[in-house]
mmCIF file of all heavy atoms in Angstrom:
data_model
loop_
_atom_site.group_PDB
_atom_site.id
_atom_site.type_symbol
_atom_site.label_atom_id
_atom_site.label_comp_id
_atom_site.label_asym_id
_atom_site.label_seq_id
_atom_site.Cartn_x
_atom_site.Cartn_y
_atom_site.Cartn_z
ATOM 1 N N ALA A 1 -4.552 -14.927 -45.766
ATOM 2 C CA ALA A 1 -3.788 -13.689 -45.646
ATOM 3 C C ALA A 1 -4.177 -12.930 -44.375
ATOM 4 O O ALA A 1 -3.321 -12.398 -43.667
ATOM 5 C CB ALA A 1 -4.025 -12.813 -46.873
ATOM 6 N N ILE A 2 -5.463 -12.891 -44.086
ATOM 7 C CA ILE A 2 -5.950 -12.163 -42.912
ATOM 8 C C ILE A 2 -5.424 -12.796 -41.627
ATOM 9 O O ILE A 2 -5.008 -12.095 -40.694
ATOM 10 C CB ILE A 2 -7.484 -12.117 -42.915
ATOM 11 C CG1 ILE A 2 -7.964 -11.156 -44.004
ATOM 12 C CG2 ILE A 2 -8.031 -11.685 -41.555
ATOM 13 C CD1 ILE A 2 -9.434 -11.264 -44.308
ATOM 14 N N GLU A 3 -5.405 -14.115 -41.566
ATOM 15 C CA GLU A 3 -4.914 -14.779 -40.361
ATOM 16 C C GLU A 3 -3.421 -14.549 -40.159
ATOM 17 O O GLU A 3 -2.940 -14.446 -39.038
ATOM 18 C CB GLU A 3 -5.228 -16.276 -40.426
ATOM 19 C CG GLU A 3 -6.714 -16.594 -40.273
ATOM 20 C CD GLU A 3 -7.319 -15.893 -39.062
ATOM 21 O OE1 GLU A 3 -6.796 -16.050 -37.936
ATOM 22 O OE2 GLU A 3 -8.305 -15.154 -39.240
ATOM 23 N N LEU A 4 -2.684 -14.435 -41.246
ATOM 24 C CA LEU A 4 -1.256 -14.134 -41.147
ATOM 25 C C LEU A 4 -1.031 -12.687 -40.709
ATOM 26 O O LEU A 4 -0.075 -12.384 -39.990
ATOM 27 C CB LEU A 4 -0.576 -14.374 -42.497
ATOM 28 C CG LEU A 4 -0.431 -15.837 -42.956
ATOM 29 C CD1 LEU A 4 0.029 -15.887 -44.402
ATOM 30 C CD2 LEU A 4 0.554 -16.568 -42.060
ATOM 31 N N PHE A 5 -1.925 -11.821 -41.128
ATOM 32 C CA PHE A 5 -1.782 -10.390 -40.858
ATOM 33 C C PHE A 5 -2.290 -9.991 -39.478
ATOM 34 O O PHE A 5 -1.760 -9.063 -38.848
ATOM 35 C CB PHE A 5 -2.550 -9.619 -41.938
ATOM 36 C CG PHE A 5 -2.489 -8.125 -41.815
ATOM 37 C CD1 PHE A 5 -1.285 -7.443 -41.934
ATOM 38 C CD2 PHE A 5 -3.642 -7.380 -41.592
ATOM 39 C CE1 PHE A 5 -1.224 -6.067 -41.831
ATOM 40 C CE2 PHE A 5 -3.594 -6.004 -41.487
ATOM 41 C CZ PHE A 5 -2.388 -5.341 -41.610
ATOM 42 N N ARG A 6 -3.277 -10.691 -38.985
ATOM 43 C CA ARG A 6 -3.981 -10.296 -37.769
ATOM 44 C C ARG A 6 -3.061 -10.021 -36.571
ATOM 45 O O ARG A 6 -3.259 -9.039 -35.841
ATOM 46 C CB ARG A 6 -5.027 -11.357 -37.400
ATOM 47 C CG ARG A 6 -6.026 -10.888 -36.339
ATOM 48 C CD ARG A 6 -7.004 -12.002 -35.988
ATOM 49 N NE ARG A 6 -7.741 -12.487 -37.136
ATOM 50 C CZ ARG A 6 -8.813 -11.883 -37.640
ATOM 51 N NH1 ARG A 6 -9.245 -10.760 -37.076
ATOM 52 N NH2 ARG A 6 -9.443 -12.380 -38.686
ATOM 53 N N PRO A 7 -2.027 -10.849 -36.317
ATOM 54 C CA PRO A 7 -1.173 -10.605 -35.138
ATOM 55 C C PRO A 7 -0.424 -9.274 -35.178
ATOM 56 O O PRO A 7 0.063 -8.808 -34.145
ATOM 57 C CB PRO A 7 -0.186 -11.782 -35.163
ATOM 58 C CG PRO A 7 -0.878 -12.845 -35.962
ATOM 59 C CD PRO A 7 -1.652 -12.114 -36.992
ATOM 60 N N PHE A 8 -0.338 -8.659 -36.354
ATOM 61 C CA PHE A 8 0.428 -7.416 -36.491
ATOM 62 C C PHE A 8 -0.456 -6.172 -36.450
ATOM 63 O O PHE A 8 0.046 -5.057 -36.573
ATOM 64 C CB PHE A 8 1.215 -7.448 -37.806
ATOM 65 C CG PHE A 8 2.171 -8.603 -37.891
ATOM 66 C CD1 PHE A 8 1.816 -9.754 -38.572
ATOM 67 C CD2 PHE A 8 3.413 -8.541 -37.269
ATOM 68 C CE1 PHE A 8 2.685 -10.834 -38.633
ATOM 69 C CE2 PHE A 8 4.278 -9.619 -37.328
ATOM 70 C CZ PHE A 8 3.917 -10.771 -38.013
ATOM 71 N N VAL A 9 -1.767 -6.358 -36.278
ATOM 72 C CA VAL A 9 -2.691 -5.220 -36.232
ATOM 73 C C VAL A 9 -2.620 -4.576 -34.851
ATOM 74 O O VAL A 9 -2.834 -5.251 -33.844
ATOM 75 C CB VAL A 9 -4.135 -5.659 -36.538
ATOM 76 C CG1 VAL A 9 -5.088 -4.468 -36.434
ATOM 77 C CG2 VAL A 9 -4.222 -6.281 -37.929
ATOM 78 N N PRO A 10 -2.330 -3.282 -34.765
ATOM 79 C CA PRO A 10 -2.263 -2.612 -33.456
ATOM 80 C C PRO A 10 -3.599 -2.696 -32.723
ATOM 81 O O PRO A 10 -4.665 -2.750 -33.359
ATOM 82 C CB PRO A 10 -1.931 -1.161 -33.823
ATOM 83 C CG PRO A 10 -1.341 -1.234 -35.187
ATOM 84 C CD PRO A 10 -2.009 -2.379 -35.869
ATOM 85 N N GLU A 11 -3.523 -2.694 -31.418
ATOM 86 C CA GLU A 11 -4.738 -2.804 -30.610
ATOM 87 C C GLU A 11 -5.737 -1.701 -30.934
ATOM 88 O O GLU A 11 -6.955 -1.937 -30.960
ATOM 89 C CB GLU A 11 -4.372 -2.753 -29.124
ATOM 90 C CG GLU A 11 -5.550 -2.981 -28.185
ATOM 91 C CD GLU A 11 -5.136 -2.998 -26.726
ATOM 92 O OE1 GLU A 11 -3.917 -3.107 -26.449
ATOM 93 O OE2 GLU A 11 -6.032 -2.898 -25.860
ATOM 94 N N LYS A 12 -5.254 -0.496 -31.221
ATOM 95 C CA LYS A 12 -6.140 0.622 -31.503
ATOM 96 C C LYS A 12 -6.938 0.421 -32.791
ATOM 97 O O LYS A 12 -7.968 1.079 -33.011
ATOM 98 C CB LYS A 12 -5.347 1.929 -31.595
ATOM 99 C CG LYS A 12 -4.418 2.027 -32.791
ATOM 100 C CD LYS A 12 -3.654 3.334 -32.804
ATOM 101 C CE LYS A 12 -2.755 3.455 -34.029
ATOM 102 N NZ LYS A 12 -3.531 3.518 -35.280
ATOM 103 N N ASP A 13 -6.470 -0.489 -33.660
ATOM 104 C CA ASP A 13 -7.166 -0.759 -34.919
ATOM 105 C C ASP A 13 -7.974 -2.054 -34.854
ATOM 106 O O ASP A 13 -8.398 -2.581 -35.887
ATOM 107 C CB ASP A 13 -6.156 -0.856 -36.066
ATOM 108 C CG ASP A 13 -5.474 0.475 -36.347
ATOM 109 O OD1 ASP A 13 -6.096 1.519 -36.086
ATOM 110 O OD2 ASP A 13 -4.326 0.469 -36.824
ATOM 111 N N GLY A 14 -8.205 -2.550 -33.646
ATOM 112 C CA GLY A 14 -8.851 -3.845 -33.487
ATOM 113 C C GLY A 14 -10.274 -3.919 -33.987
ATOM 114 O O GLY A 14 -10.795 -5.007 -34.259
ATOM 115 N N ARG A 15 -10.953 -2.760 -34.123
ATOM 116 C CA ARG A 15 -12.348 -2.798 -34.571
ATOM 117 C C ARG A 15 -12.488 -2.779 -36.088
ATOM 118 O O ARG A 15 -13.603 -2.779 -36.616
ATOM 119 C CB ARG A 15 -13.112 -1.622 -33.958
ATOM 120 C CG ARG A 15 -12.569 -0.251 -34.290
ATOM 121 C CD ARG A 15 -13.223 0.833 -33.435
ATOM 122 N NE ARG A 15 -12.545 2.112 -33.589
ATOM 123 C CZ ARG A 15 -12.811 3.180 -32.847
ATOM 124 N NH1 ARG A 15 -13.730 3.116 -31.907
ATOM 125 N NH2 ARG A 15 -12.149 4.319 -33.029
ATOM 126 N N ILE A 16 -11.361 -2.760 -36.807
ATOM 127 C CA ILE A 16 -11.415 -2.767 -38.269
ATOM 128 C C ILE A 16 -11.721 -4.178 -38.770
ATOM 129 O O ILE A 16 -11.063 -5.137 -38.382
ATOM 130 C CB ILE A 16 -10.097 -2.254 -38.875
ATOM 131 C CG1 ILE A 16 -9.906 -0.770 -38.535
ATOM 132 C CG2 ILE A 16 -10.077 -2.438 -40.394
ATOM 133 C CD1 ILE A 16 -8.605 -0.169 -39.019
ATOM 134 N N ASP A 17 -12.691 -4.295 -39.653
ATOM 135 C CA ASP A 17 -13.044 -5.571 -40.271
ATOM 136 C C ASP A 17 -11.985 -5.874 -41.338
ATOM 137 O O ASP A 17 -11.977 -5.270 -42.419
ATOM 138 C CB ASP A 17 -14.433 -5.474 -40.901
ATOM 139 C CG ASP A 17 -14.925 -6.806 -41.456
ATOM 140 O OD1 ASP A 17 -14.106 -7.580 -41.969
ATOM 141 O OD2 ASP A 17 -16.151 -7.066 -41.378
ATOM 142 N N LEU A 18 -11.096 -6.811 -41.034
ATOM 143 C CA LEU A 18 -9.975 -7.082 -41.937
ATOM 144 C C LEU A 18 -10.428 -7.681 -43.266
ATOM 145 O O LEU A 18 -9.776 -7.484 -44.296
ATOM 146 C CB LEU A 18 -8.975 -8.015 -41.248
ATOM 147 C CG LEU A 18 -8.294 -7.447 -40.003
ATOM 148 C CD1 LEU A 18 -7.291 -8.448 -39.442
ATOM 149 C CD2 LEU A 18 -7.598 -6.122 -40.299
ATOM 150 N N THR A 19 -11.529 -8.402 -43.254
ATOM 151 C CA THR A 19 -12.048 -8.957 -44.506
ATOM 152 C C THR A 19 -12.459 -7.835 -45.453
ATOM 153 O O THR A 19 -12.126 -7.844 -46.644
ATOM 154 C CB THR A 19 -13.253 -9.877 -44.234
ATOM 155 O OG1 THR A 19 -12.837 -10.954 -43.393
ATOM 156 C CG2 THR A 19 -13.817 -10.440 -45.531
ATOM 157 N N LYS A 20 -13.168 -6.837 -44.920
ATOM 158 C CA LYS A 20 -13.571 -5.697 -45.740
ATOM 159 C C LYS A 20 -12.358 -4.858 -46.154
ATOM 160 O O LYS A 20 -12.295 -4.370 -47.283
ATOM 161 C CB LYS A 20 -14.563 -4.829 -44.970
ATOM 162 C CG LYS A 20 -15.930 -5.464 -44.793
ATOM 163 C CD LYS A 20 -16.883 -4.508 -44.085
ATOM 164 C CE LYS A 20 -18.270 -5.116 -43.945
ATOM 165 N NZ LYS A 20 -19.207 -4.186 -43.250
ATOM 166 N N ALA A 21 -11.412 -4.704 -45.235
ATOM 167 C CA ALA A 21 -10.226 -3.905 -45.537
ATOM 168 C C ALA A 21 -9.413 -4.533 -46.662
ATOM 169 O O ALA A 21 -8.950 -3.836 -47.573
ATOM 170 C CB ALA A 21 -9.369 -3.751 -44.285
ATOM 171 N N LEU A 22 -9.235 -5.844 -46.615
ATOM 172 C CA LEU A 22 -8.476 -6.521 -47.671
ATOM 173 C C LEU A 22 -9.236 -6.490 -48.988
ATOM 174 O O LEU A 22 -8.629 -6.292 -50.046
ATOM 175 C CB LEU A 22 -8.163 -7.959 -47.273
ATOM 176 C CG LEU A 22 -7.389 -8.776 -48.311
ATOM 177 C CD1 LEU A 22 -6.093 -8.077 -48.711
ATOM 178 C CD2 LEU A 22 -7.079 -10.179 -47.785
ATOM 179 N N ALA A 23 -10.546 -6.659 -48.933
ATOM 180 C CA ALA A 23 -11.343 -6.619 -50.160
ATOM 181 C C ALA A 23 -11.225 -5.247 -50.831
ATOM 182 O O ALA A 23 -11.050 -5.153 -52.055
ATOM 183 C CB ALA A 23 -12.801 -6.941 -49.859
ATOM 184 N N ALA A 24 -11.291 -4.194 -50.026
ATOM 185 C CA ALA A 24 -11.176 -2.839 -50.568
ATOM 186 C C ALA A 24 -9.774 -2.582 -51.112
ATOM 187 O O ALA A 24 -9.596 -1.878 -52.110
ATOM 188 C CB ALA A 24 -11.518 -1.810 -49.494
ATOM 189 N N SER A 25 -8.768 -3.161 -50.468
ATOM 190 C CA SER A 25 -7.380 -2.967 -50.893
ATOM 191 C C SER A 25 -7.046 -3.783 -52.137
ATOM 192 O O SER A 25 -6.477 -3.265 -53.104
ATOM 193 C CB SER A 25 -6.430 -3.369 -49.758
ATOM 194 O OG SER A 25 -6.671 -2.634 -48.595
ATOM 195 N N SER A 26 -7.403 -5.070 -52.102
ATOM 196 C CA SER A 26 -6.980 -5.973 -53.178
ATOM 197 C C SER A 26 -7.614 -5.622 -54.515
ATOM 198 O O SER A 26 -7.058 -5.941 -55.565
ATOM 199 C CB SER A 26 -7.309 -7.422 -52.802
ATOM 200 O OG SER A 26 -8.702 -7.612 -52.622
ATOM 201 N N ALA A 27 -8.749 -4.922 -54.483
ATOM 202 C CA ALA A 27 -9.369 -4.496 -55.737
ATOM 203 C C ALA A 27 -8.462 -3.534 -56.498
ATOM 204 O O ALA A 27 -8.582 -3.390 -57.718
ATOM 205 C CB ALA A 27 -10.708 -3.827 -55.438
ATOM 206 N N ALA A 28 -7.526 -2.901 -55.778
ATOM 207 C CA ALA A 28 -6.620 -1.935 -56.408
ATOM 208 C C ALA A 28 -5.190 -2.458 -56.557
ATOM 209 O O ALA A 28 -4.305 -1.718 -56.972
ATOM 210 C CB ALA A 28 -6.610 -0.641 -55.600
ATOM 211 N N PHE A 29 -4.966 -3.728 -56.203
ATOM 212 C CA PHE A 29 -3.614 -4.296 -56.304
ATOM 213 C C PHE A 29 -3.143 -4.442 -57.744
ATOM 214 O O PHE A 29 -1.945 -4.453 -58.010
ATOM 215 C CB PHE A 29 -3.549 -5.682 -55.651
ATOM 216 C CG PHE A 29 -3.519 -5.668 -54.142
ATOM 217 C CD1 PHE A 29 -3.734 -6.843 -53.432
ATOM 218 C CD2 PHE A 29 -3.296 -4.506 -53.438
ATOM 219 C CE1 PHE A 29 -3.713 -6.848 -52.040
ATOM 220 C CE2 PHE A 29 -3.277 -4.492 -52.046
ATOM 221 C CZ PHE A 29 -3.488 -5.673 -51.350
ATOM 222 N N GLY A 30 -4.096 -4.617 -58.667
ATOM 223 C CA GLY A 30 -3.714 -4.973 -60.019
ATOM 224 C C GLY A 30 -3.567 -6.477 -60.147
ATOM 225 O O GLY A 30 -4.024 -7.236 -59.283
ATOM 226 N N ASP A 31 -2.897 -6.935 -61.204
ATOM 227 C CA ASP A 31 -2.715 -8.363 -61.424
ATOM 228 C C ASP A 31 -1.242 -8.650 -61.687
ATOM 229 O O ASP A 31 -0.390 -7.793 -61.445
ATOM 230 C CB ASP A 31 -3.595 -8.853 -62.582
ATOM 231 C CG ASP A 31 -3.362 -8.067 -63.873
ATOM 232 O OD1 ASP A 31 -2.229 -7.570 -64.084
ATOM 233 O OD2 ASP A 31 -4.301 -7.942 -64.671
ATOM 234 N N GLU A 32 -0.949 -9.833 -62.184
ATOM 235 C CA GLU A 32 0.455 -10.212 -62.389
ATOM 236 C C GLU A 32 1.161 -9.326 -63.415
ATOM 237 O O GLU A 32 2.391 -9.261 -63.448
ATOM 238 C CB GLU A 32 0.546 -11.673 -62.825
ATOM 239 C CG GLU A 32 -0.171 -11.991 -64.132
ATOM 240 C CD GLU A 32 -0.023 -13.460 -64.508
ATOM 241 O OE1 GLU A 32 1.120 -13.946 -64.495
ATOM 242 O OE2 GLU A 32 -1.044 -14.094 -64.800
ATOM 243 N N TYR A 33 0.379 -8.626 -64.235
ATOM 244 C CA TYR A 33 0.980 -7.755 -65.245
ATOM 245 C C TYR A 33 1.045 -6.294 -64.781
ATOM 246 O O TYR A 33 1.887 -5.530 -65.268
ATOM 247 C CB TYR A 33 0.185 -7.825 -66.550
ATOM 248 C CG TYR A 33 0.084 -9.222 -67.099
ATOM 249 C CD1 TYR A 33 -1.115 -9.941 -66.994
ATOM 250 C CD2 TYR A 33 1.176 -9.839 -67.702
ATOM 251 C CE1 TYR A 33 -1.217 -11.241 -67.490
ATOM 252 C CE2 TYR A 33 1.085 -11.130 -68.192
ATOM 253 C CZ TYR A 33 -0.115 -11.826 -68.081
ATOM 254 O OH TYR A 33 -0.204 -13.116 -68.555
ATOM 255 N N THR A 34 0.165 -5.922 -63.865
ATOM 256 C CA THR A 34 0.072 -4.503 -63.509
ATOM 257 C C THR A 34 0.490 -4.183 -62.075
ATOM 258 O O THR A 34 0.660 -3.006 -61.743
ATOM 259 C CB THR A 34 -1.369 -3.991 -63.714
ATOM 260 O OG1 THR A 34 -2.264 -4.753 -62.883
ATOM 261 C CG2 THR A 34 -1.787 -4.128 -65.168
ATOM 262 N N TRP A 35 0.657 -5.191 -61.201
ATOM 263 C CA TRP A 35 1.020 -4.885 -59.815
ATOM 264 C C TRP A 35 2.307 -4.052 -59.777
ATOM 265 O O TRP A 35 3.298 -4.367 -60.450
ATOM 266 C CB TRP A 35 1.243 -6.158 -58.989
ATOM 267 C CG TRP A 35 1.548 -5.794 -57.556
ATOM 268 C CD1 TRP A 35 0.658 -5.578 -56.559
ATOM 269 C CD2 TRP A 35 2.846 -5.526 -56.995
ATOM 270 N NE1 TRP A 35 1.294 -5.184 -55.400
ATOM 271 C CE2 TRP A 35 2.638 -5.139 -55.639
ATOM 272 C CE3 TRP A 35 4.137 -5.559 -57.488
ATOM 273 C CZ2 TRP A 35 3.699 -4.806 -54.786
ATOM 274 C CZ3 TRP A 35 5.191 -5.208 -56.645
ATOM 275 C CH2 TRP A 35 4.962 -4.855 -55.300
ATOM 276 N N GLY A 36 2.282 -3.011 -59.007
ATOM 277 C CA GLY A 36 3.475 -2.184 -58.807
ATOM 278 C C GLY A 36 3.747 -1.162 -59.887
ATOM 279 O O GLY A 36 4.587 -0.279 -59.701
ATOM 280 N N GLN A 37 3.054 -1.263 -61.015
ATOM 281 C CA GLN A 37 3.357 -0.388 -62.143
ATOM 282 C C GLN A 37 3.001 1.063 -61.845
ATOM 283 O O GLN A 37 2.030 1.365 -61.139
ATOM 284 C CB GLN A 37 2.598 -0.852 -63.389
ATOM 285 C CG GLN A 37 3.017 -2.239 -63.887
ATOM 286 C CD GLN A 37 4.490 -2.287 -64.268
ATOM 287 O OE1 GLN A 37 4.984 -1.420 -64.990
ATOM 288 N NE2 GLN A 37 5.196 -3.307 -63.789
ATOM 289 N N MET A 38 3.791 1.975 -62.392
ATOM 290 C CA MET A 38 3.560 3.409 -62.237
ATOM 291 C C MET A 38 3.599 4.064 -63.608
ATOM 292 O O MET A 38 4.557 3.874 -64.363
ATOM 293 C CB MET A 38 4.619 4.017 -61.321
ATOM 294 C CG MET A 38 4.586 3.486 -59.901
ATOM 295 S SD MET A 38 6.016 4.024 -58.907
ATOM 296 C CE MET A 38 7.334 3.040 -59.662
ATOM 297 N N SER A 39 2.577 4.810 -63.930
ATOM 298 C CA SER A 39 2.478 5.480 -65.221
ATOM 299 C C SER A 39 3.239 6.799 -65.212
ATOM 300 O O SER A 39 3.026 7.642 -64.329
ATOM 301 C CB SER A 39 1.002 5.738 -65.553
ATOM 302 O OG SER A 39 0.870 6.681 -66.594
ATOM 303 N N VAL A 40 4.105 6.977 -66.182
ATOM 304 C CA VAL A 40 4.837 8.237 -66.314
ATOM 305 C C VAL A 40 3.859 9.389 -66.502
ATOM 306 O O VAL A 40 4.024 10.474 -65.937
ATOM 307 C CB VAL A 40 5.813 8.163 -67.507
ATOM 308 C CG1 VAL A 40 6.400 9.548 -67.809
ATOM 309 C CG2 VAL A 40 6.925 7.167 -67.233
ATOM 310 N N GLU A 41 2.786 9.142 -67.277
ATOM 311 C CA GLU A 41 1.803 10.186 -67.561
ATOM 312 C C GLU A 41 1.071 10.623 -66.288
ATOM 313 O O GLU A 41 0.820 11.813 -66.079
ATOM 314 C CB GLU A 41 0.798 9.697 -68.611
ATOM 315 C CG GLU A 41 1.345 9.518 -70.009
ATOM 316 C CD GLU A 41 2.212 8.270 -70.157
ATOM 317 O OE1 GLU A 41 2.120 7.357 -69.294
ATOM 318 O OE2 GLU A 41 2.985 8.211 -71.131
ATOM 319 N N VAL A 42 0.726 9.654 -65.432
ATOM 320 C CA VAL A 42 0.024 9.970 -64.178
ATOM 321 C C VAL A 42 0.896 10.824 -63.270
ATOM 322 O O VAL A 42 0.442 11.832 -62.711
ATOM 323 C CB VAL A 42 -0.394 8.671 -63.457
ATOM 324 C CG1 VAL A 42 -0.836 8.965 -62.025
ATOM 325 C CG2 VAL A 42 -1.524 7.975 -64.213
ATOM 326 N N VAL A 43 2.159 10.428 -63.136
ATOM 327 C CA VAL A 43 3.074 11.176 -62.266
ATOM 328 C C VAL A 43 3.353 12.558 -62.852
ATOM 329 O O VAL A 43 3.397 13.560 -62.118
ATOM 330 C CB VAL A 43 4.386 10.399 -62.055
ATOM 331 C CG1 VAL A 43 5.364 11.214 -61.223
ATOM 332 C CG2 VAL A 43 4.103 9.065 -61.372
ATOM 333 N N GLN A 44 3.523 12.638 -64.167
ATOM 334 C CA GLN A 44 3.788 13.931 -64.806
ATOM 335 C C GLN A 44 2.614 14.888 -64.632
ATOM 336 O O GLN A 44 2.802 16.087 -64.367
ATOM 337 C CB GLN A 44 4.077 13.736 -66.300
ATOM 338 C CG GLN A 44 4.461 15.016 -67.027
ATOM 339 C CD GLN A 44 5.785 15.579 -66.532
ATOM 340 O OE1 GLN A 44 6.830 14.963 -66.704
ATOM 341 N NE2 GLN A 44 5.761 16.761 -65.903
ATOM 342 N N GLU A 45 1.393 14.378 -64.754
ATOM 343 C CA GLU A 45 0.216 15.227 -64.580
ATOM 344 C C GLU A 45 0.163 15.795 -63.164
ATOM 345 O O GLU A 45 -0.166 16.968 -62.969
ATOM 346 C CB GLU A 45 -1.061 14.427 -64.878
ATOM 347 C CG GLU A 45 -2.317 15.280 -64.854
ATOM 348 C CD GLU A 45 -3.574 14.506 -65.183
ATOM 349 O OE1 GLU A 45 -3.526 13.254 -65.201
ATOM 350 O OE2 GLU A 45 -4.620 15.145 -65.414
ATOM 351 N N PHE A 46 0.496 14.977 -62.181
ATOM 352 C CA PHE A 46 0.513 15.445 -60.796
ATOM 353 C C PHE A 46 1.614 16.477 -60.589
ATOM 354 O O PHE A 46 1.415 17.504 -59.930
ATOM 355 C CB PHE A 46 0.704 14.260 -59.854
ATOM 356 C CG PHE A 46 0.646 14.620 -58.396
ATOM 357 C CD1 PHE A 46 -0.405 15.374 -57.886
ATOM 358 C CD2 PHE A 46 1.636 14.200 -57.514
ATOM 359 C CE1 PHE A 46 -0.466 15.701 -56.528
ATOM 360 C CE2 PHE A 46 1.581 14.524 -56.163
ATOM 361 C CZ PHE A 46 0.533 15.283 -55.679
ATOM 362 N N LEU A 47 2.789 16.239 -61.166
ATOM 363 C CA LEU A 47 3.885 17.209 -61.093
ATOM 364 C C LEU A 47 3.468 18.545 -61.695
ATOM 365 O O LEU A 47 3.698 19.606 -61.112
ATOM 366 C CB LEU A 47 5.099 16.673 -61.852
ATOM 367 C CG LEU A 47 6.170 15.906 -61.081
ATOM 368 C CD1 LEU A 47 7.251 15.435 -62.035
ATOM 369 C CD2 LEU A 47 6.768 16.746 -59.975
ATOM 370 N N ASN A 48 2.843 18.487 -62.868
ATOM 371 C CA ASN A 48 2.392 19.704 -63.535
ATOM 372 C C ASN A 48 1.406 20.469 -62.653
ATOM 373 O O ASN A 48 1.449 21.705 -62.568
ATOM 374 C CB ASN A 48 1.732 19.374 -64.877
ATOM 375 C CG ASN A 48 2.716 18.821 -65.895
ATOM 376 O OD1 ASN A 48 3.929 18.925 -65.728
ATOM 377 N ND2 ASN A 48 2.195 18.205 -66.945
#
């Protein structure tokens, strides 16, 4: 994934460790059951 993504990283972001960035991101992706899901309760609490 990192090798596919690397060509699209702006020059100004070149010092970012993509391995660490993906690790930090993917921990919050969820799984095949939860990816993309949005809780009505979470959004309602923020609205309130």
Side-chain angles (χ1 to χ4, degrees):
I2 288 167
E3 289 310 306
L4 289 170
F5 181 64
R6 193 182 302 279
F8 301 98
V9 178
E11 185 177 346
K12 68 181 182 65
D13 293 332
R15 59 191 170 188
I16 294 177
D17 185 325
L18 296 182
T19 299
K20 289 183 178 180
L22 179 55
S25 302
S26 61
F29 284 167
D31 55 29
E32 61 179 310
Y33 303 105
T34 60
W35 183 87
Q37 296 300 312
M38 296 171 288
S39 164
V40 170
E41 291 75 18
V42 167
V43 177
Q44 184 65 65
E45 186 178 13
F46 184 50
L47 266 178
N48 293 345

